[in-house]
Every structure is written in C-alpha cells, then in structure tokens.
Amino acid sequence: MGQNYCLTADLDTLEISERVRYISIPTTSLEEVSNYDGVPPFLGKKTSKRLRAIFFPYEVDDGVITRKFARTFISKCKHLRLLDLSWGCFEELPSSICNLKQLRALNLSESKRLKMLPDTICELQSLLVLDIGGCLELCELPKNMNRLVSLRFLYITTKQKSLQETGIQYLENLHFLGLEACDNLQVLFEGTCQLTHLRKLDIRNCRGPLSLPFGELVALESLNIASCKLALTSKNKSNFPLNLRVLVIDKSEQVMELLRCLEESACTLESFSIYDCPSLTAIPEWLPNHTHLGLIHLIRCPNLSFMPQGIRSLTALKELCIEHCGELSKRCELETGEDWNIIAHVPRIELDLIEVQWTDD
C-alpha cells in the first residue's frame, strides 16, 4: 500500500496515480530530459492536486528548479506539507506561497540567486521548518517573522547587519536557530527576547564580530561555533550559557577566550568537542568538574601538551578521541604514554584514527 502513496518521479514523468501523496525526484540535471519547459508534465494533471510532499534527494543543476517550477507547484498543490526548492535558480519566491496553509516544511537552501522572500511567507502559521541557508544573495528577511508562530527550526543566510527588525526574537516555539555565511551580521537582536525554548544555536562562517544575547537564551543546551568571530564583551562573557550539554568549537582563534567564559558555568556538559584550533594551548582546568561528560573530541589542535589529572575522575566518560594533537597525542599512547594512566578508564579511545581501546562498557 505504501508504494501507492509514494512515488519516485522524473522531470518528464507524464502522469501520476491519484493515490500518490509523496513524490521524490532524483533527477539532478536536464541532460537526459527532453522538452523540459520548467514544469514536470504530471503537474498539469488533476491527479497532482492532492500531493503532500515534493523533495529532491540530491543536489540539482542550475535550471532544474525555475521560478515557473516553484510557481506551478504552489498554485497546483494546495495541500502540500513539504516543499523542497533547494538549489533553485529563481530570484524571488512567488508571493502565492501563502496559499499553502498546511505547509509544514519549506526548504530553499542553496538557492544562490534568491534575493528576497515575500512578506506573505509570514502567513504560513503551520510552518515548522524553514531552511534558507546558503542563499548568499538574500538581502534581508521579512519584518514579520514573529508571525510564524509554529516555527521550530530556522536556518538562515542573509546579507543583513542586524536581525532586530525581523521579529525572530519573538518566536517562542523555536528550538533550533542556525546562521551560516552571514558576513555582514553584527547584531542578532537586542532587548526583549522570547526564545525561551531555543535549545540549539549553530553559527558557521560568519565574519563578525557578531554580538549574541547569550543571557537571553535561557534554555540553550547545544552551542556550535565554526569559523566565526564573536564580539565578546564583559556583559556577554558573564552571561554565557550556563546549562550547556553540548559544546562544539571549530576553527576559532577565540577558543581560549570562549572556554574561559564557561569557567563559572553549571557542570552540565555531556559532550565537548574542539576541531582545528591551533590556538588551543591547554585543556581547561574546569573540564573535570563536568562529571556528566560522556564524550570528548580533540581534533587537530597541535599545541596541546598534556591531559589534566582531573580527567581521571570523569567516570561517565565513554568516548575520547584525540587526533593530530602534537605532544598530547604522544602522551596518550597506549600503555607507554605519560598520560595513559589518566585516560585508561575510558572504554572507547581513538588516537590518531586508531581505536587503541574500544569496548561497549
């Protein structure tokens, strides 16, 4: 029965069954598609009206997802729950997007030509997921994003300097916020914030310096900072998230400063990962205070020279991965390393891509 509801179609598929609700289009280019005018033929048939989801499992070439493609799907398929227009080659999203009242997820990621979103997108009050990451030409977000009252997941690339006027700070149900390649962004928002359910913040490739209202993100549990420069003032240093469970820092020259911000934090960390940070010269002395730590990854941090003695007390630690960390890698060698006795209690240890100790306990 499932096969009746789900279908893998091509851009030149002529017709679909009226029972089909979910379509996957694995076509990646127009090379083997003849007479394509920007719209799959099956969309012109009445049987497409009841479609619930359309997605592309692979990256598509330029010219596959056109403005005509987007406009036709939006006008013909009023009952869509998921619409995947990633890698689109249109500059504007049709304002008729607001007609998709039941839409739950909209993927516009990697649409390199997309310059603006219509204000009507804010009328999608059932929308749970909005992905506009990798839209490098997107000038700004609509000013009434706060009307997306159901939104749980938001991933953004924008040319804006501030998101203050977008209203995203009032999205009470938002659980995940991602920022990628927002080169001009300096201020997330200031003042009143109602992101009381935001659990995860992911910031990548933002030149900054970017000011973040850490003190307002009272529910934040996971923080991922990659290739970014943050504006670290005395105020936001003292308001750094206190209840983090997952911390990932990647390619940061501020790594030591960021770690000092956590010195007075509650002892809640369960996962601690640092990648590609030559400026990391010492594992923080406070790390052993986080007795719930189950995972530590130290990858390509060549200036680490020893493991703190306190690591021995981390009885909940199940996995330790050390890769190309200079002197530290040598000191943690199986049985012969000077720091082996400090880490020997850890069930799973990977050292320079070799599993030197790997058990299920």
Side-chain angles (χ1 to χ4, degrees), residues 76-141:
K76 296 285 187 180
C77 309
K78 304 286 187 176
H79 303 287
L80 282 178
R81 273 33 169 209
L82 181 155
L83 178 57
D84 181 2
L85 297 174
S86 56
W87 301 97
C89 60
F90 44 85
E91 293 187 1
E92 297 181 14
L93 186 68
S95 60
S96 56
I97 187 72
C98 63
N99 294 328
L100 301 181
K101 301 298 184 184
Q102 301 174 61
L103 195 65
R104 303 291 192 271
L106 176 59
N107 186 357
L108 300 168
S109 63
E110 306 300 332
S111 296
K112 305 298 185 183
R113 300 185 192 179
L114 185 64
K115 293 184 176 180
M116 65 173 292
L117 296 174
D119 291 338
T120 56
I121 200 173
C122 300
E123 298 177 26
L124 298 174
Q125 296 195 353
S126 296
L127 198 66
L128 301 174
V129 175
L130 176 59
D131 189 345
I132 47 177
C135 300
L136 300 177
E137 294 299 317
L138 187 62
C139 296
E140 61 181 21
L141 304 183

Side-chain angles (χ1 to χ4, degrees), residues 12 16 56 78 88 128 147 167 185 215 236 296-297 339 359:
D12 53 4
I16 62 175
F56 287 81
K78 304 286 187 176
L128 301 174
R147 295 176 62 187
L185 195 61
N236 61 20
I296 296 176
H297 281 184
D339 289 340
T359 64

Side-chain angles (χ1 to χ4, degrees), residues 329-342:
S329 291
K330 295 179 182 178
R331 292 178 64 98
C332 291
E333 289 180 353
L334 177 64
E335 297 182 351
T336 60
E338 294 177 61
D339 289 340
W340 174 254
N341 64 324
I342 300 173

Side-chain angles (χ1 to χ4, degrees), residues 4-7 15-22 45-52:
N4 293 330
Y5 287 97
C6 304
L7 177 70
E15 192 161 353
I16 62 175
S17 165
E18 63 181 8
R19 295 176 62 86
V20 172
R21 297 292 182 269
Y22 308 95
K45 308 296 175 61
K46 291 182 179 180
T47 51
S48 67
K49 290 184 177 181
R50 296 185 181 276
L51 287 174
R52 298 291 189 270

Side-chain angles (χ1 to χ4, degrees), residues 166-300:
T166 65
I168 67 169
Q169 65 269 39
Y170 303 118
L171 294 172
E172 296 184 15
N173 291 309
L174 197 66
H175 288 188
F176 174 94
L177 175 60
L179 306 169
E180 178 186 1
C182 299
D183 289 344
N184 300 324
L185 195 61
Q186 296 182 1
V187 178
L188 197 56
F189 43 77
E190 298 174 312
T192 305
C193 171
Q194 296 175 10
L195 297 180
T196 53
H197 290 93
L198 189 69
R199 300 285 189 266
K200 183 173 182 178
L201 179 61
D202 194 329
I203 313 167
R204 299 173 180 271
N205 302 307
C206 296
R207 294 178 183 175
L210 174 59
S211 177
L212 297 172
F214 284 126
E216 305 291 330
L217 306 180
V218 294
L220 197 67
E221 296 180 349
S222 177
L223 178 61
N224 189 333
I225 301 173
S227 301
C228 295
K229 183 177 181 181
L230 303 184
L232 296 174
T233 64
S234 57
K235 181 179 179 181
N236 61 20
K237 282 182 182 180
S238 61
N239 288 329
F240 214 72
L242 296 181
N243 298 308
L244 285 181
R245 296 182 183 277
V246 177
L247 176 64
V248 180
I249 301 176
D250 185 3
K251 296 184 178 69
S252 173
E253 295 180 0
Q254 297 174 294
V255 59
M256 296 298 289
E257 193 174 7
L258 287 168
L259 293 178
R260 280 193 290 271
C261 295
L262 281 165
E263 192 166 356
E264 303 298 326
S265 71
C267 301
T268 55
L269 276 183
E270 297 173 2
S271 176
F272 177 82
S273 302
I274 310 291
Y275 299 89
D276 296 295
C277 288
S279 55
L280 180 65
T281 56
I283 299 170
E285 291 295 330
W286 50 255
L287 194 63
N289 297 334
H290 291 259
T291 54
H292 297 289
L293 260 176
L295 180 148
I296 296 176
H297 281 184
L298 302 167
I299 312 295
R300 294 179 297 277

